Amino acid sequence: GENVEQHPSTLSVQEGDSAVIKCTYSDSASNYFPWYKQELGKGPQLIIDIRSNVGEKKDQRIAVTLNKTAKHFSLHITETQPEDSAVYFCAVLTGGGNKLTFGTGTQLKVEL
Amino acid sequence: GAVVSQHPSWVICKSGTSVKIECRSLDFQATTMFWYRQFPKQSLMLMATSNEGSKATYEQGVEKDKFLINHASLTLSTLTVTSAHPEDSSFYICSADPGLAGGRLAEQFFGPGTRLTVL
């Protein structure tokens, strides 16, 4: 089955700095790569996603890059704010199916 | 748009009782709904996939007789934890996939989760 690794597990940045979270996956047939933000006690919220026909996608302060050859994709958050503090999960849609495999999560803390 | 609700948001029950959790897609029809379990400080683990009108498909290691899933309509799926025990205490999260009708393949919208505590 699909194996998704996510790094780092915790990330602490100063407000205004950038944060980068990286995920690697194993199934080369995977074609959909979403990122979710989960606040304490709540369900995950989709913040950005990318499909295998593009290499980069940006939405205001958030961007995702995809390297299909190397089988990794990254979340980039610029000009971080305290409200960005949360747990972030990457996920991969298993090739040919509709099931998501989640990464292990990254606890992001944005300090004032 | 694309709102998914869960009820209840939290529940405390005695060991041996059964608990039902509802998952509803409020403004779209979901061809497929998913149930996940999340333990503290861990990732989401898929428990089962359900399609309206058919039996759920369970992931390896998930007991189908313990976690009963009913997907009665395109907007409602229920998860019943039967004979709950303390080790079943967890955060249960559902998601709904509108399928092609949503205009985008494989996008899942998540509910707010249900915190189950079994005493």
Side-chain angles (χ1 to χ4, degrees):
Chain A
E2 179 72 87
N3 182 38
V4 181
E5 294 189 1
Q6 183 172 344
H7 297 281
S9 56
T10 60
L11 179 59
S12 185
V13 300
Q14 294 292 313
E15 183 180 11
D17 288 350
S18 295
V20 181
I21 304 170
K22 182 176 177 179
C23 284
T24 60
Y25 60 98
S26 58
D27 186 352
S28 58
S30 299
N31 55 14
Y32 176 60
F33 309 90
W35 284 92
Y36 295 90
K37 175 183 181 182
Q38 186 179 29
E39 297 178 337
L40 190 63
K42 298 183 179 180
Q45 180 182 18
L46 177 69
I47 55 172
I48 196 166
D49 58 12
I50 193 166
R51 297 180 188 269
S52 61
N53 57 338
V54 296
E56 182 174 358
K57 183 177 177 181
K58 190 173 182 180
D59 182 5
Q60 298 183 340
R61 297 186 297 109
I62 296 173
V64 55
T65 57
L66 170 66
N67 184 327
K68 285 219 75 184
T69 302
K71 289 187 282 189
H72 68 70
F73 59 111
S74 300
L75 176 70
H76 304 254
I77 305 175
T78 59
E79 301 173 35
T80 53
Q81 301 167 2
E83 51 265 37
D84 294 329
S85 297
V87 178
Y88 291 81
F89 291 98
C90 65
V92 176
L93 184 73
T94 307
N98 63 350
K99 295 192 294 186
L100 291 174
T101 300
F102 282 80
T104 48
T106 297
Q107 175 74 62
L108 173 64
K109 183 177 182 181
V110 180
E111 299 176 329
L112 295 171
Chain B
V3 178
V4 176
S5 70
Q6 279 184 243
H7 179 80
S9 55
W10 60 270
V11 57
I12 301 173
C13 69
K14 293 182 178 180
S15 185
T17 60
S18 294
V19 174
K20 180 184 284 189
I21 302 169
E22 291 187 350
C23 176
R24 293 181 186 272
S25 55
L26 299 184
D27 49 4
F28 66 98
Q29 293 186 327
T31 55
T32 306
M33 287 185 169
F34 303 85
W35 287 96
Y36 296 84
R37 181 167 51 182
Q38 185 179 35
F39 292 108
K41 297 190 183 298
Q42 292 189 23
S43 189
L44 285 76
M45 297 301 296
L46 180 65
M47 298 175 67
T49 303
S50 73
N51 292 290
E52 184 262 343
S54 62
K55 289 185 178 180
T57 302
Y58 291 80
E59 294 300 298
Q60 191 172 9
V62 178
E63 300 174 58
K64 62 180 181 180
D65 294 330
K66 181 169 185 62
F67 299 100
L68 302 179
I69 293 172
N70 187 313
H71 195 154
S73 75
L74 285 172
T75 59
L76 172 65
S77 177
T78 60
L79 168 69
T80 301
V81 183
T82 62
S83 187
H85 291 284
E87 57 265 30
D88 299 322
S89 298
S90 188
F91 194 49
Y92 291 87
I93 309 170
C94 72
S95 71
D97 181 355
L100 290 174
R104 287 159 52 86
L105 283 173
E107 189 166 2
Q108 293 185 25
F109 299 96
F110 284 81
T114 296
R115 174 75 59 193
L116 170 63
T117 301
V118 184
L119 301 176

